[in-house]
Amino acid sequence: AQSVAQPEDQVNVAEGNPLTVKCTYSVSGNPYLFWYVQYPNRGLQFLLKYITGDNLVKGSYGFEAEFNKSQTSFHLKKPSALVSDSALYFCAVSPAIGGGFKTIFGAGTRLFVKA
Amino acid sequence: EPEVTQTPSHQVTQMGQEVILRCVPISNHLYFYWYRQILGQKVEFLVSFYNNEISEKSEIFDDQFSVERPDGSNFTLKIRSTKLEDSAMYFCASLGGGTGELFFGEGSRLTVL
């Protein structure tokens, strides 16, 4: 069975500092990994994904994530945080690309960026 | 940019009443999903739908829940007899196939009194 863990309920960072939001996963076979962001009272928005290839993937709004197979991790990173990055971030895993396969979400990590 | 639309944005209902939540997925997408989120917390999978049938469902999706795509555009979630614990934000999502990322609607907030 697939699962996703986000060990931090909340991450606090000062504007301009680098940020990391952690994610570990468990899935049989090759993982398809995603990060989504949710702003207050909004739906989830796709940020980036890892399917195959380069372990460092880049996404929207300057975010990137590093896939580490040995540590089964997919941490979200940004070199310089903005106040506007404050939101709820979800790591997600899917057993395959395409329909019929459920994407499972982690519990979410709330990011606070202080000015 | 194409988007997933959901109606209503907020519905208040009495316990035991039937509720239908509606979604219009992105027009060329083939796979459809319902998720729910309670109190801004974890996003829980309910059901996936493809080719006019359920592909997979979670343990949450019991006999009180049903989905259908009656007219080729709308994708609906019906809760037959609502319970207090059904109060949540319900999100519809669609997937084009081959890309992997889900496109979410803005959600329908259900409040059961």
Side-chain angles (χ1 to χ4, degrees):
Chain A
Q2 65 204 62
S3 64
V4 180
Q6 293 181 243
E8 304 152 315
D9 291 336
Q10 184 172 309
V11 169
N12 298 310
V13 64
E15 188 174 35
N17 283 0
L19 70 87
T20 299
V21 182
K22 296 179 180 176
C23 171
T24 59
Y25 66 89
S26 173
V27 63
S28 55
N30 294 322
Y32 299 92
L33 300 161
F34 306 83
W35 277 99
Y36 289 81
V37 61
Q38 185 181 30
Y39 297 101
N41 301 312
R42 303 294 302 276
L44 280 71
Q45 296 177 37
F46 168 77
L47 272 182
L48 51 79
K49 65 184 176 186
Y50 172 82
I51 306 301
T52 186
D54 194 350
N55 289 344
L56 185 65
V57 293
K58 295 187 184 298
S60 307
Y61 312 119
F63 283 93
E64 56 190 29
E66 186 166 14
F67 170 65
N68 187 316
K69 188 172 184 178
S70 63
Q71 297 184 4
T72 61
S73 67
F74 189 56
H75 300 331
L76 180 70
K77 300 181 180 185
K78 188 173 182 180
S80 179
L82 300 172
V83 172
S84 57
D85 293 330
S86 298
L88 188 55
Y89 290 82
F90 291 96
C91 183
V93 63
S94 174
I97 290 294
F101 299 102
K102 62 184 180 183
T103 297
I104 296 300
F105 290 83
T109 298
R110 197 165 296 277
L111 174 66
F112 286 103
V113 181
K114 189 169 60 175
Chain B
E1 185 175 318
E3 59 182 21
V4 176
T5 57
Q6 289 186 241
T7 55
S9 57
H10 188 193
Q11 180 155 358
V12 181
T13 190
Q14 296 293 324
M15 190 170 54
Q17 295 297 303
E18 177 183 282
V19 163
I20 297 176
L21 306 179
R22 291 182 169 80
C23 169
V24 179
I26 294 173
S27 62
N28 61 346
H29 282 189
L30 302 174
Y31 309 98
F32 314 110
Y33 304 80
W34 283 101
Y35 286 83
R36 79 174 185 189
Q37 185 180 37
I38 296 176
L39 294 177
Q41 301 299 320
K42 187 171 185 175
V43 176
E44 300 174 299
F45 170 80
L46 292 178
V47 66
S48 60
F49 191 86
Y50 170 69
N51 199 26
N52 280 323
E53 61 182 27
I54 291 174
S55 305
E56 192 168 356
K57 60 183 180 180
S58 72
E59 60 277 7
I60 302 169
F61 195 88
D62 61 21
D63 292 344
Q64 293 300 312
F65 290 87
S66 62
V67 290
E68 64 175 2
R69 197 159 183 249
D71 57 8
S73 61
N74 289 286
F75 177 51
T76 63
L77 174 69
K78 181 192 289 186
I79 308 174
R80 246 178 291 279
S81 178
T82 50
K83 302 187 284 288
L84 295 176
E85 54 264 38
D86 293 328
S87 294
M89 185 73 103
Y90 288 81
F91 290 105
C92 174
S94 69
L95 176 65
T99 59
E101 65 264 31
L102 296 170
F103 291 78
F104 282 85
E106 295 294 346
S108 293
R109 183 175 299 280
L110 176 65
T111 301
V112 182
L113 302 177

